[in-house]
Amino acid sequence: MTIETGTGPHDSVRAVAWEDDALQLLDQRKLPLEKNVLTCHQCIEVVDAIQDMVVRGAPAIGIAAAYGVVLAARKHFKAARKQWKDRIKRDLQALRAARPTAVNLMYAVDMMQETIVNLEEDDPTDVLLEKAQRFHELDILANKRMGQLGAALIANPCDVITHCNAGSLATGGFGTALGVIRQAWQDRKIQQVYADETRPWLQGARLTAWELIEDDIPVQLIADNCAAHLMRQGKVRWVIVGSDRIAANGDVANKIGTYGLAIAAKHHNVKVMVVAPTTTVDMTLYHGGDIPIEQRDEQEVLHVQGKAISHPKAGAWNPVFDVTPAKLIDAIVTERGVVLEPDTTKMKAMMKMTSIFDQD
Amino acid sequence: MTIETGTGPHDSVRAVAWEDDALQLLDQRKLPLEKNVLTCHQCIEVVDAIQDMVVRGAPAIGIAAAYGVVLAARKHFKAARKQWKDRIKRDLQALRAARPTAVNLMYAVDMMQETIVNLEEDDPTDVLLEKAQRFHELDILANKRMGQLGAALIANPCDVITHCNAGSLATGGFGTALGVIRQAWQDRKIQQVYADETRPWLQGARLTAWELIEDDIPVQLIADNCAAHLMRQGKVRWVIVGSDRIAANGDVANKIGTYGLAIAAKHHNVKVMVVAPTTTVDMTLYHGGDIPIEQRDEQEVLHVQGKAISHPKAGAWNPVFDVTPAKLIDAIVTERGVVLEPDTTKMKAMMKMTSIFDQD
């Protein structure tokens, strides 16, 4: 498959790929210490992979779901070529329900469903596969466009903080927040990247550090609780993060910790940039309070890489996303353009601009 | 020895104890999963134990150092009863240099050194041991006093957040921040304690959760990055923490993460209480900028309980304390009294009040 690791620039790594008539997912749960690829032949395997975080990152989840629809259509058409459009509905529902916060998942399933509705009675596999592959390609193009738009916002060479992983591994490729960081590094606008380790899943320690090290971009890990103290040293000028869902008013759901980071940034006059394709924007929700926040198993907090870290009787609270209000955000960067100091009016105007995703 | 685990109220656990003519330290590095006691017969063993975090928590470090002086005096008097006061100087210096931030360490060594200066030519062991044991006892009394003063500040039953471990294990016994939490729980003023897990050493997950569970006080662990999102839910009214050094103006050095927590608290109108005996107050430093902040090995961030969590080539930044400015602190609770909205004038006035430690 086309998943490449450790052999060249890391921006070419693909977390999601279609090869050998199946969906290939780079298992992100133990990266970079173990590198395994999970092959999905059935849609249900994709649902499980999304739920279990084999694949994670809002855009990557959306792309995996689009391929999942291809697998579902192939199976149901083979089994019952007259009823496949009915039978696939349960799969689409299972995909949508796999994780609640990242709206890219719903976007991708809706897009594939629209295509299905318009299909003739022939085997749908090729048409749907082409649609999914095109969606995947456009996501990468969107990331490259956002990389340029975001890097242009950084006025002077500085240090930046990123949270979780919004890189090649979280997207179709290249990355959202890490796309901006890659471009800004190339433009000599970044001196040092600080990566929050991002408990409980340690996406920063495991994935972001790996991506940046392989691309020779200087990165230092920090404990999540260290960011405010780091900002106080005065070298960090930007916090750059991705998003799982953006409401119509510019409120942003992202990995737990983003909200605290944005509060600390405001306190230190550090700017906050959110980088996400408009497949992440949900204009049906007025504000962030309406975004469903996924709660995951407390065992994710009580263990690190399978090892208990607390008392056997301990309990934990594990919301895996939080909402950062628009007023704490300086710039939302999408493939349609940049929204500074976001509000509903500006978000609506941005959503009317041309998108790479409209090409289709 | 008097270290008790799992057999009764946890407030009676002693991290530091003198028994069988030696210093017994409950090894806090793998608690609660492994319960080991380290016996120190030599002062250098105490220096190592402080450096390696067998014993941690500013007051507990101070008490361990006082006993370390006893061990040093016993050895040097035995070897050279005429020169022991000269020979002990190197040990006192090694103790002082073991960790830079917690000023209780310097306080304890200074106190013991004063006693040494006034000693006659007899065997100093008994006198010094009595001094160390009295210091230990007074620390527990100070904690109980602070427990009452701090609990009285909580107006209505609410949830609280604590960071790191400022409990029995961090002190002579009972605890500073956890002393207040114990008293407030007894007074029915606390509904739920949230304990930050406190990376990189996980003192919250390992030690605070353990102490509170054994005392049947409801505790939920959270990832450090979760606190701001939790505060936004509206139930948390207080952040209650200990300290490693307090400057004359009320700036507070404490475990990395305290500063970010205080910024988030201010943003949500949640109050911040710092609980520490006046052995933690350093009136020779005008403000927190003068407090030395210990940097520890990056491997502490790159590993969790001995297991690598990142890329082999990854680096990390690991300052283990930060400074919270007085303006973010609502109350400093000491055994001498409470300082609300601290500043230099109020701190000076507080330091003139009677202390339990003056009894000696």
Side-chain angles (χ1 to χ4, degrees):
Chain A
M1 64 180 300
T2 51
I3 290 168
E4 297 165 23
T5 59
T7 53
H10 201 84
D11 63 24
S12 63
V13 167
R14 297 290 172 262
V16 180
W18 181 271
E19 202 157 291
D20 298 330
D21 287 330
L23 177 60
Q24 314 284 349
L25 298 173
L26 187 54
D27 187 343
Q28 300 195 34
R29 293 169 300 181
K30 298 201 171 172
L31 281 177
L33 306 168
E34 291 177 32
K35 292 173 190 165
N36 302 314
V37 172
L38 179 78
T39 302
C40 302
H41 296 281
Q42 307 283 337
C43 181
I44 186 66
E45 295 168 334
V46 182
V47 172
D48 288 346
I50 292 171
Q51 270 171 351
D52 298 344
M53 298 184 60
V54 171
V55 59
R56 35 61 56 194
I61 289 171
I63 294 160
Y67 287 118
V69 174
V70 178
L71 295 172
R74 183 171 72 184
K75 173 184 154 186
H76 292 302
F77 183 80
K78 213 171 186 178
R81 53 167 60 208
K82 295 289 176 200
Q83 291 95 41
W84 76 271
K85 286 189 183 183
D86 269 340
R87 293 196 181 176
I88 202 172
K89 284 178 185 163
R90 250 177 75 179
D91 295 279
L92 303 184
Q93 192 40 41
L95 279 168
R96 272 197 192 89
R99 290 193 71 189
T101 304
V103 77
N104 313 60
L105 175 59
M106 323 328 166
Y107 178 98
V109 176
D110 287 348
M111 174 194 75
M112 297 301 279
Q113 194 163 21
E114 246 173 66
T115 309
I116 288 172
V117 168
N118 299 320
L119 279 181
E120 301 299 325
E121 289 193 354
D122 297 339
D123 185 340
T125 314
D126 287 351
V127 177
L128 292 175
L129 178 58
E130 201 178 306
K131 185 83 187 171
Q133 285 176 322
R134 183 76 184 133
F135 180 59
H136 189 168
E137 281 162 22
L138 292 177
D139 187 70
I140 299 170
L141 289 177
N143 288 341
K144 296 207 163 154
R145 173 83 183 124
M146 290 187 284
Q148 289 168 335
L149 292 172
L153 295 175
I154 302 174
N156 297 304
C158 63
D159 294 354
V160 302
I161 298 179
T162 189
H163 188 66
C164 196
N165 172 268
S168 293
L169 294 162
T171 62
F174 197 66
T176 52
L178 288 196
V180 169
I181 286 171
R182 286 190 160 99
Q183 185 63 50
W185 167 252
Q186 204 173 304
D187 298 348
R188 298 171 190 268
K189 286 181 170 176
I190 285 182
Q191 289 165 329
Q192 173 75 51
V193 180
Y194 288 92
D196 283 347
E197 63 175 359
T198 319
R199 279 279 288 148
W201 274 84
L202 296 168
Q203 290 96 333
R206 296 188 299 105
L207 310 177
T208 297
W210 182 41
E211 287 202 26
L212 296 179
I213 286 166
E214 298 233 346
D215 278 4
D216 287 325
I217 299 172
V219 58
Q220 288 269 299
L221 271 180
I222 53 171
D224 295 323
N225 59 31
C226 189
H229 178 64
L230 171 61
M231 288 179 193
R232 207 177 184 191
Q233 315 306 308
K235 289 186 182 169
V236 171
R237 301 314 310 152
W238 282 94
V239 168
I240 306 177
V241 294
S243 172
D244 294 80
R245 194 182 303 211
I246 302 175
N249 70 341
D251 288 355
V252 166
N254 191 43
K255 179 53 34 69
I256 186 76
T258 306
Y259 174 46
L261 205 53
I263 294 170
K266 183 63 68 179
H267 189 83
H268 293 95
N269 205 23
V270 167
K271 290 187 172 182
V272 176
M273 186 192 306
V274 176
V275 190
T278 50
T279 52
T280 306
V281 177
D282 185 350
M283 294 300 283
T284 70
L285 302 184
Y286 291 115
H287 60 76
D290 294 338
I291 300 174
I293 297 296
E294 181 180 10
Q295 298 272 341
R296 290 181 66 91
D297 195 309
E298 62 179 356
Q299 297 304 324
E300 293 180 356
V301 175
L302 297 170
H303 290 77
V304 177
Q305 299 194 342
K307 206 172 168 186
I309 59 161
S310 188
H311 191 283
K313 287 188 195 158
W317 188 56
N318 186 25
V320 294
F321 301 99
D322 59 26
V323 173
T324 302
K327 68 177 176 189
L328 294 177
I329 295 166
D330 294 279
I332 294 178
V333 176
T334 76
E335 84 289 354
R336 290 181 198 267
V338 173
V339 181
L340 299 176
E341 294 173 14
D343 61 25
T344 308
T345 309
K346 292 179 190 172
M347 287 294 290
K348 278 184 180 163
M350 180 275 289
M351 289 301 282
K352 285 182 186 147
M353 295 170 74
T354 318
S355 167
I356 285 161
F357 293 100
D358 299 334
Q359 290 180 9
D360 223 30
Chain B
M1 64 179 299
T2 51
I3 290 168
E4 298 166 22
T5 61
T7 54
H10 202 84
D11 63 25
S12 63
V13 166
R14 298 290 172 263
V16 180
W18 181 270
E19 202 157 292
D20 298 331
D21 287 330
L23 177 61
Q24 314 285 349
L25 297 173
L26 186 55
D27 188 341
Q28 300 195 35
R29 294 169 300 180
K30 298 201 171 172
L31 280 179
L33 307 168
E34 291 177 31
K35 292 173 190 164
N36 302 314
V37 172
L38 181 77
T39 302
C40 302
H41 295 281
Q42 307 281 339
C43 181
I44 185 68
E45 294 168 334
V46 183
V47 172
D48 288 347
I50 292 170
Q51 268 172 352
D52 297 346
M53 296 184 61
V54 171
V55 61
R56 32 66 52 197
I61 289 171
I63 294 161
Y67 287 117
V69 175
V70 178
L71 294 172
R74 183 171 73 184
K75 174 183 152 185
H76 292 302
F77 182 79
K78 213 171 184 178
R81 52 170 57 209
K82 296 286 175 202
Q83 291 97 42
W84 77 271
K85 286 189 183 184
D86 269 340
R87 293 198 183 174
I88 202 171
K89 284 179 184 162
R90 248 175 79 178
D91 295 278
L92 302 184
Q93 191 41 41
L95 280 169
R96 271 197 194 89
R99 291 193 70 189
T101 304
V103 78
N104 313 58
L105 175 60
M106 321 333 165
Y107 178 97
V109 176
D110 287 348
M111 174 194 74
M112 297 300 280
Q113 195 164 19
E114 248 173 65
T115 309
I116 289 172
V117 169
N118 297 319
L119 280 180
E120 302 299 324
E121 289 194 356
D122 298 338
D123 186 338
T125 314
D126 288 350
V127 176
L128 292 175
L129 178 58
E130 201 179 307
K131 185 83 188 171
Q133 285 176 322
R134 182 77 185 135
F135 181 59
H136 190 168
E137 280 162 23
L138 293 177
D139 188 70
I140 300 171
L141 289 178
N143 288 342
K144 296 206 165 155
R145 174 84 184 124
M146 291 188 282
Q148 289 170 335
L149 292 172
L153 294 175
I154 302 174
N156 297 303
C158 64
D159 294 355
V160 302
I161 298 178
T162 189
H163 189 67
C164 196
N165 172 270
S168 292
L169 294 162
T171 62
F174 196 67
T176 52
L178 287 196
V180 169
I181 287 171
R182 287 191 160 98
Q183 185 63 51
W185 167 251
Q186 205 174 303
D187 299 347
R188 297 170 190 270
K189 284 180 170 177
I190 285 181
Q191 290 166 328
Q192 173 76 51
V193 180
Y194 287 92
D196 283 348
E197 64 174 1
T198 319
R199 279 278 288 145
W201 275 85
L202 296 168
Q203 292 94 333
R206 297 188 298 104
L207 310 177
T208 296
W210 183 42
E211 287 202 28
L212 295 179
I213 287 166
E214 299 232 345
D215 278 4
D216 287 325
I217 299 173
V219 57
Q220 288 269 299
L221 271 179
I222 54 172
D224 295 323
N225 60 30
C226 191
H229 179 63
L230 172 61
M231 289 179 194
R232 208 177 183 192
Q233 314 304 308
K235 289 187 183 167
V236 171
R237 302 315 309 150
W238 282 94
V239 168
I240 305 177
V241 293
S243 171
D244 294 80
R245 194 182 302 210
I246 302 175
N249 70 342
D251 288 356
V252 166
N254 190 43
K255 178 55 33 72
I256 186 76
T258 305
Y259 174 47
L261 205 54
I263 293 169
K266 183 64 67 183
H267 189 82
H268 293 93
N269 204 25
V270 166
K271 291 187 172 180
V272 176
M273 187 193 304
V274 176
V275 190
T278 49
T279 52
T280 306
V281 177
D282 185 350
M283 294 301 283
T284 70
L285 302 183
Y286 291 116
H287 60 77
D290 294 337
I291 300 174
I293 296 297
E294 181 180 11
Q295 299 272 342
R296 291 182 66 93
D297 195 308
E298 62 179 357
Q299 296 305 323
E300 293 180 355
V301 175
L302 297 170
H303 291 78
V304 177
Q305 299 193 342
K307 209 172 164 182
I309 59 161
S310 188
H311 191 283
K313 287 190 196 157
W317 189 55
N318 187 25
V320 294
F321 301 98
D322 59 25
V323 172
T324 302
K327 67 178 178 190
L328 295 177
I329 295 166
D330 294 279
I332 294 178
V333 176
T334 76
E335 85 288 355
R336 290 181 198 268
V338 173
V339 181
L340 299 177
E341 294 173 14
D343 61 25
T344 307
T345 309
K346 292 179 191 175
M347 287 294 290
K348 277 185 182 165
M350 181 274 291
M351 289 301 282
K352 283 182 187 149
M353 295 169 75
T354 317
S355 167
I356 285 162
F357 293 100
D358 299 335
Q359 290 180 10
D360 224 27

